[in-house]
């Protein structure tokens, strides 16, 4: 059961007419970069809530969630319309396994995101643990249109801070954009272009893969990794990839 914390919206930073970041002031206790928390609004006598990954690091003052409107969905359109000063509910129990502490020791961390699935990876990339634990960190971020590539300045700052330890691969699938690959991620793995672009092998002995976003991407990339003798990671049965499905 969640206890609800009373939060306030500090800002609604819209990227376009269906993508936004909400900045929230709420007294959330301890959590790890990469975790999610349930966010809610009153709904009659109940609370209507959904899980959202935290984009902020635990050290940052405010909570941040990044999401898209699902037009037929009950909550996301209401969240999208919130404004600075509005009340919002935040569950007191953040959770989730998409964290660096859950990953077995290995050399290379691959983060693969579609759409708003970039959120938890930003929290991890802004924190220290991944940079201390892995020789190389790759972020592969796929969207349909170039205008949906969010947080590019944050990613530039991460690149400037971590230099060659960090490899960023933007992917735009429905139009061409200079500097971005243009095929779906499973194809980029099959034809070798993901490894060619980064100069890093993706294999069972060196790599752990985190995936976040659409179930299509996660299913197809998981199958591709299975073909490389990599299996899903579980605490009791350590493996090579960790997933978080948004839809
Ligand atoms: C652990 C976890 C963390 C999540 N974190 C995020 C996040 O950080 N950002 C984010 O945008 N979403 C995230 N989601 C999805 C989010 O919880 C909601 O489902 C989404 O915002 C839609 O809410 P809704 O109430 O409007 O519609 P819902 O009733 O939740 O869903 C309506 C329909 O839309 C589908 N759907 C859900 N999310 C999406 C989406 N993003 N794009 C397209 N279709 C979708 C659902 O599968 C369902 O068929 C997360 C989900 C999980 C399980």
């Amino acid at each position: 059961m969640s206890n609800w914390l009373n939060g306030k919206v500090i800002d609604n930073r819209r990227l376009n007419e269906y993508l936004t970041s909400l900045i929230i002031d709420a007294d959330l206790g301890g959590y790890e970069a990469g975790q999610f928390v349930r966010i809610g609004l009153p709904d009659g006598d109940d609370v209507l809530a959904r899980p959202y990954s935290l984009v902020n690091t635990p050290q940052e003052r405010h909570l941040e969630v990044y999401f898209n409107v699902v037009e037929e969905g009950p909550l996301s359109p209401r969240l999208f319309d919130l404004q600075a000063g509005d009340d919002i509910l935040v569950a007191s129990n953040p959770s989730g396994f998409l964290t660096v502490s859950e990953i077995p020791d290995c050399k290379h961390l691959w983060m693969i995101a579609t759409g708003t699935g970039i959120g938890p990876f930003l929290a991890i990339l802004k924190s220290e643990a991944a940079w201390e634990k892995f020789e190389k960190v790759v972020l592969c971020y796929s969207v349909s249109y170039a205008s949906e590539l969010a947080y590019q300045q944050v990613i530039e700052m991460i690149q400037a801070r971590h230099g060659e330890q960090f490899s960023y691969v933007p992917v735009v699938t429905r139009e061409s954009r200079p500097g971005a690959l243009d095929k779906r991620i499973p194809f980029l793995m099959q034809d070798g272009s993901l490894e060619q672009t980064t100069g890093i092998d993706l294999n069972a002995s060196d790599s752990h893969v985190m995936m976040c976003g659409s179930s299509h991407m996660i299913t197809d990339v998981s199958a591709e990794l299975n073909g490389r003798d990599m299996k899903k990671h579980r605490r009791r049965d350590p493996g090579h990839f960790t997933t978080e499905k948004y839809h």
Side-chain angles (χ1 to χ4, degrees):
M1 274 286 285
S2 301
N3 288 322
W4 293 104
L5 307 169
N6 293 311
K8 280 265 179 230
V9 174
I10 298 290
D11 201 1
N12 183 338
R13 296 183 185 156
R14 289 196 181 168
L15 183 69
N16 59 27
E17 68 279 11
Y18 54 90
L19 285 165
T20 200
S21 304
L22 278 186
I23 314 298
I24 299 166
D25 188 16
D27 244 342
L28 190 62
Y31 54 92
E32 279 185 67
Q35 290 196 304
F36 61 84
V37 70
R38 287 168 69 76
I39 302 281
L41 291 173
D43 190 41
D45 291 339
D46 284 335
V47 175
L48 173 62
R50 295 284 184 269
Y52 291 94
S53 299
L54 292 165
V55 179
N56 59 290
T57 69
Q59 289 72 38
E60 285 176 290
R61 166 77 182 82
H62 293 129
L63 307 180
E64 178 168 353
V65 294
Y66 175 58
F67 63 96
N68 60 295
V69 174
V70 175
E71 275 181 20
E72 69 281 11
L75 185 64
S76 57
R78 286 182 63 192
L79 293 178
F80 193 78
D81 286 340
L82 292 176
Q83 294 181 0
D86 286 344
D87 294 326
I88 190 165
L89 297 165
V90 178
S92 59
N93 54 343
S95 58
F97 297 104
L98 206 67
T99 60
V100 169
S101 64
E102 292 288 337
I103 302 177
D105 286 341
C106 63
K107 273 164 67 173
H108 304 146
L109 175 62
W110 293 75
M111 299 173 163
I112 299 184
T114 53
T116 54
I118 188 69
F121 297 146
L122 293 168
I124 291 171
L125 291 165
K126 287 188 287 173
S127 302
E128 288 312 308
W131 306 106
E132 289 163 5
K133 184 162 175 168
F134 305 103
E135 281 178 26
K136 299 269 187 191
V137 178
V138 178
L139 173 65
C140 178
Y141 176 20
S142 177
V143 295
S144 299
Y145 300 99
S147 61
E148 297 170 342
L149 281 173
Y151 293 101
Q152 294 304 288
Q153 285 184 347
V154 176
I155 294 170
E156 277 169 27
M157 273 171 41
I158 292 163
Q159 185 76 75
R161 192 177 305 154
H162 297 285
E164 291 193 350
Q165 195 182 357
F166 181 49
S167 190
Y168 173 46
V169 186
V171 179
V172 177
T173 55
R174 294 199 191 162
E175 61 186 7
S176 80
R177 186 234 191 210
L181 300 181
D182 61 2
K183 294 194 183 70
R184 291 179 60 237
I185 295 166
F187 291 112
L188 297 174
M189 295 170 76
Q190 282 158 18
D191 74 6
S193 36
L194 199 54
E195 285 158 293
Q196 245 165 34
T197 306
T198 57
I200 303 170
D201 286 346
L202 204 178
N203 58 41
S205 50
D206 293 334
S207 320
H208 191 96
V209 181
M210 290 172 137
M211 291 172 245
C212 187
S214 82
S215 49
H216 287 130
M217 178 276 284
I218 290 174
T219 303
D220 292 352
V221 171
S222 299
E224 178 63 26
L225 294 175
N226 289 151
R228 298 178 187 217
D229 291 331
M230 298 170 80
K231 64 176 186 182
K232 190 170 165 108
H233 175 70
R234 293 188 170 80
R235 272 186 178 170
R236 284 192 203 149
D237 182 19
H240 312 92
F241 59 90
T242 313
T243 64
E244 192 151 278
K245 280 184 195 172
Y246 282 2
H247 59 95

